[in-house]
Amino acid sequence: MNKTLTAGLLAAGAMIGSAAAAQETFISIGTGGVTGVYYPAGGAICRLVNRDRAEHGIRCGVESTGGSIFNINAIRSGELEFGVAQSDWQFHAFNGTSRFEENGPFEGLRAMFSLHPEPFTVVARADAGITSFDDLPGKRVNIGNPGSGQRGTMEVVMEAMGWTEDTFAQTTELPAGEQSLALCDNNVDAIVYTVGHPSGAIQEATTACDTVLVNVDNDVIRALVEERDYYRMATIPGGMYRGTAEDVTTFGVGATFVSSDAVSDEVAYQVTKAIFENLDQFTGLHPALAGLDPAEMVSDGLSAPLHDGAERYYREAGLID
Ligand code: GLU
């Protein structure tokens, strides 16, 4: 090959390379612990987005994080483009209430769609003498890492119950992925996790040692559910996990997929399209996602406004008018 031709080819190669780089948009999705449902759900979203990368140029990556509140804060600071968050924390972030009071309303928060239900799940060692949520005082309880949805929701419930950390023999702040082991190592008597079912973490906690899922149902919980739109009563079906043959009654929230108005309409549109055009495949990627209904996904548990890009897709698809 002569020198001029080689140089020409190299230059052409460099141009193609830089054109492709300029077109590629990176997006990151904040999720939760790897044995939760957010992490595989985020992975499922990225898998469908990345499949059409040649057409839209979006490269999607998933990150394991501390959970809902961490994700919302990271979207706010521009560190993440998307994240999964509990419906209660989406509500509070947009309105600047509860844990988001200090930083004020996150007006740029945008809803994409809702995902699976997340019952507030309490798992206790079978030998701990805990048969309901009301038995937790005096016990060693993992209340969750700061930044997780369950920690925030547990704090709301503790306040409503008139409990403080002193109510318990001990509180720990282990992240979701470490709490099953702590339970089975007898370092704690009970763990709380707001999570979809079935989840790897609860499977781990119920198979590695003898444990029970307990009801979280009393007058205080019923009053909270009555008062607040983002809570509802929930059932964890009996027989789903070893040691718990009966249905468990608790309250719950919904998992939602969120973003911000700093993310372009085109990116939000393409991400939404990738999921809704392949919904059967998406819901087949994790058992907790089975049964998602598109009509519910565009409205349930969404208190922030829809992202304009998502809304554009929903109109085109006839999912909203
Ligand atoms: N709901 C939990 C949280 O907000 C995460 C659950 C999961 O990872 O599936 O932190």
Side-chain angles (χ1 to χ4, degrees):
M1 206 181 280
N2 75 44
K3 262 196 180 143
T4 328
L5 189 54
T6 313
L9 283 174
L10 282 175
M15 276 170 64
I16 292 164
S18 67
Q23 273 169 11
E24 197 150 88
T25 307
F26 290 88
I27 58 169
S28 293
I29 300 179
T31 59
V34 294
T35 51
V37 178
Y38 287 7
Y39 185 75
I45 293 171
C46 278
R47 189 198 288 208
L48 294 173
V49 169
N50 287 336
R51 219 176 45 180
D52 293 331
R53 189 187 301 149
E55 281 159 43
H56 51 53
I58 300 167
R59 181 184 292 269
C60 182
V62 66
E63 281 181 31
S64 172
T65 71
S68 286
I69 294 175
F70 175 94
N71 295 340
I72 292 171
N73 286 332
I75 292 170
R76 190 175 195 162
S77 69
E79 236 171 283
L80 293 172
E81 286 72 36
F82 294 93
V84 192
Q86 292 178 199
S87 52
D88 49 348
W89 299 115
Q90 181 189 142
F91 175 92
H92 288 306
F94 186 69
N95 292 292
T97 45
S98 188
R99 290 285 292 273
F100 290 91
E101 201 175 330
E102 210 169 298
N103 291 331
F106 175 12
E107 282 161 10
L109 182 65
R110 291 292 176 268
M112 295 287 289
F113 43 82
S114 65
L115 292 163
H116 53 284
E118 296 193 274
F120 184 81
T121 306
V122 178
V123 190
R125 289 180 60 82
D127 61 10
I130 299 169
T131 55
S132 86
F133 189 63
D134 300 16
D135 295 328
L136 288 189
K139 306 293 184 190
R140 300 166 303 161
V141 182
N142 186 49
I143 57 172
N145 61 295
S148 69
Q150 57 271 6
R151 172 62 177 272
T153 305
M154 180 65 175
E155 283 175 353
V156 170
V157 173
M158 280 168 59
E159 201 182 318
M161 295 288 297
W163 295 350
T164 66
E165 291 192 21
D166 294 337
T167 303
F168 307 107
Q170 193 196 342
T171 54
T172 50
E173 298 190 318
L174 297 171
E178 288 172 28
Q179 57 179 353
S180 303
L181 192 61
L183 187 68
C184 287
D185 279 348
N186 201 8
N187 292 331
V188 296
D189 297 309
I191 59 174
V192 301
Y193 198 10
T194 321
V195 69
H197 296 291
S199 80
I202 306 298
Q203 251 147 11
E204 200 178 14
T206 51
T207 51
C209 58
D210 291 337
T211 57
V212 284
L213 270 67
V214 301
N215 290 328
V216 184
D217 183 13
N218 56 36
D219 291 348
V220 172
I221 298 292
R222 296 254 166 192
L224 275 179
V225 170
E226 187 77 16
E227 242 168 58
R228 308 185 188 192
D229 283 347
Y230 42 78
Y231 292 148
R232 60 200 54 194
M233 293 310 291
T235 303
I236 305 165
M240 184 172 257
Y241 297 106
R242 176 180 163 266
T244 306
E246 306 286 320
D247 282 2
V248 172
T249 305
T250 181
F251 75 105
V253 293
T256 69
F257 191 54
V258 297
S259 184
S260 89
D261 63 357
V263 170
S264 78
D265 292 357
E266 179 59 18
V267 167
Y269 173 85
Q270 293 295 350
V271 170
T272 309
K273 184 167 172 243
I275 302 313
F276 281 81
E277 287 198 337
N278 301 290
L279 204 59
D280 282 350
Q281 229 179 314
F282 178 65
T283 57
L285 287 169
H286 192 283
L289 302 175
L292 289 184
D293 173 59
E296 286 172 8
M297 289 173 77
V298 303
S299 62
D300 269 21
L302 306 181
S303 34
L306 282 176
H307 195 292
D308 286 345
E311 191 173 339
R312 186 179 122 212
Y313 177 79
Y314 298 145
R315 275 189 211 294
E316 275 176 24
L319 284 164
I320 56 173
D321 340 292

